[in-house]
Amino acid sequence: MTASAHLPVEPDRLGRPKMPTFHDPVADATEAASALRGLAHASRSFEDPDQTYGVLADLLAASRSFRQVLDQLADAHLTHRGQARDEDGSRAPGLLAALSAADELHEAGTLLDQAKSHLVTALREAGRIAWHPYAPEAEVPVGQWVPVVILNGEDTDHVVELMDRDGADAAIEHVAQWDYGEETTEAALDNGQVYDEPPFGSMDRRATRGVYTLTYSIPFGQIGLYRQADALPDLKPLGVAAPTVTGAHTSQTPAPGGTATSGRPARRRAADTSWFSRGDDGIVTRTRGRSL
């Protein structure tokens, strides 16, 4: 068997030569184009991101072969340039076109080297990744409550003044500025701060508006705003434009579900002047301000 002789290539079930032939550039180029089309379709999504490393490695290997193919195509144009003619059979235009094609193929190979360099870097970085399965998303509890914000010390003063002057609804509207929606809920879930009902002591005062409940602890000088966990409120009906604190007193802005603190203790309100009162049955009602 001579060096130029090749074993016959067994065809596939459709009569096409199986890839690769290693001797028929036309057939192999057709199969390569078909394989790349298949890869472009298959790689639209990866169920397992760990598979991307193998694909990158194969593409890097393919880029090296592609560069070789471009150089060999350029050499073919130079080697056979004496046979080049234009459509009218003129030699000079054909020769010029062959030389120009060879130059462009060499230029394409140079640009491909740049792409190959980026592929090498991408493969190296991808090799540093340890892919972990997604953690199951925390299920938002239905019918339970999460804290929006807890105010302590002097941060409660402005809220208490607002309650006394305009009622509990106005106070809830004010404190609701710290509600960041899903971010607040996720922070509470991460911290395990989910309650069957808002925490409420025997000496606390409480008012509710919509999905919010505001509590005021007299012994501890603490105000807490809680929201139903499965309710992501639209704050516009409450008249809240942005999660910032405004008014006569400006306190620290806590993170979602966080606590605002300051050094001076809050003022205590006597029971007979509070915007809340407690009945014999333990139910808290407001004695002043707008109705809920």
Side-chain angles (χ1 to χ4, degrees), residues 17-283:
K18 287 185 177 179
M19 173 180 189
T21 69
F22 293 103
H23 67 85
D24 185 344
V26 176
D28 285 350
T30 300
E31 290 296 328
S34 178
L36 284 174
R37 285 195 299 270
L39 177 59
H41 181 83
S43 60
R44 291 181 300 174
S45 63
F46 285 87
E47 292 185 4
D48 182 2
D50 191 50
Q51 295 175 336
T52 58
Y53 184 85
V55 174
L56 269 174
D58 287 336
L59 287 176
L60 178 59
S63 72
R64 296 189 177 107
S65 296
F66 193 17
R67 172 62 197 268
Q68 180 181 348
V69 170
L70 292 177
D71 287 342
Q72 291 168 172
L73 282 170
D75 290 343
H77 281 77
L78 294 176
T79 300
H80 301 286
R81 63 184 182 277
Q83 300 174 245
R85 303 289 187 276
D86 67 2
E87 294 181 354
D88 296 329
S90 299
R91 181 178 179 182
L95 177 61
L96 183 61
L99 294 174
S100 178
D103 285 341
E104 293 298 329
L105 287 165
H106 282 306
E107 183 65 23
T110 300
L111 295 175
L112 187 59
D113 282 341
Q114 298 179 19
K116 184 174 64 177
S117 176
H118 288 291
L119 282 173
V120 169
T121 302
L123 185 64
R124 182 176 65 248
E125 296 301 319
R128 297 175 177 175
I129 301 173
W131 297 101
H132 290 262
Y134 279 115
E137 294 185 1
E139 185 176 348
V140 177
V142 177
Q144 292 185 302
W145 296 78
V146 295
V148 173
V149 67
I150 306 298
L151 301 176
N152 292 286
E154 68 177 10
D155 295 303
T156 65
D157 286 355
H158 178 60
V159 180
V160 172
E161 291 171 1
L162 193 61
M163 288 188 286
D164 285 343
R165 185 179 68 245
D166 300 324
D169 286 359
I172 292 175
E173 290 177 10
H174 175 75
V175 183
Q177 295 178 94
W178 279 309
D179 192 346
Y180 292 83
E182 291 184 359
E183 187 178 352
T184 295
T185 303
E186 290 173 2
L189 293 175
D190 291 342
N191 295 326
Q193 295 175 316
V194 182
Y195 309 98
D196 291 333
E197 61 179 27
F200 186 66
S202 60
M203 298 186 65
D204 291 351
R205 301 292 186 255
R206 178 170 59 180
T208 297
R209 178 180 179 185
V211 298
Y212 290 109
T213 288
L214 186 74
T215 64
Y216 176 38
S217 173
I218 293 179
F220 298 103
Q222 184 180 83
I223 289 177
L225 183 67
Y226 299 84
R227 172 171 49 77
Q228 294 175 10
D230 57 335
L232 296 179
D234 180 3
L235 299 181
K236 291 181 181 179
L238 294 179
V240 177
T244 57
V245 179
T246 60
H249 175 77
T250 302
S251 63
Q252 293 178 330
T253 302
T259 303
T261 60
S262 58
R264 187 162 54 88
R267 290 178 294 173
R268 305 295 173 83
R269 299 296 180 185
D272 58 348
T273 61
S274 174
W275 46 283
F276 292 110
S277 66
R278 180 180 302 278
D280 295 336
D281 57 359
I283 302 299

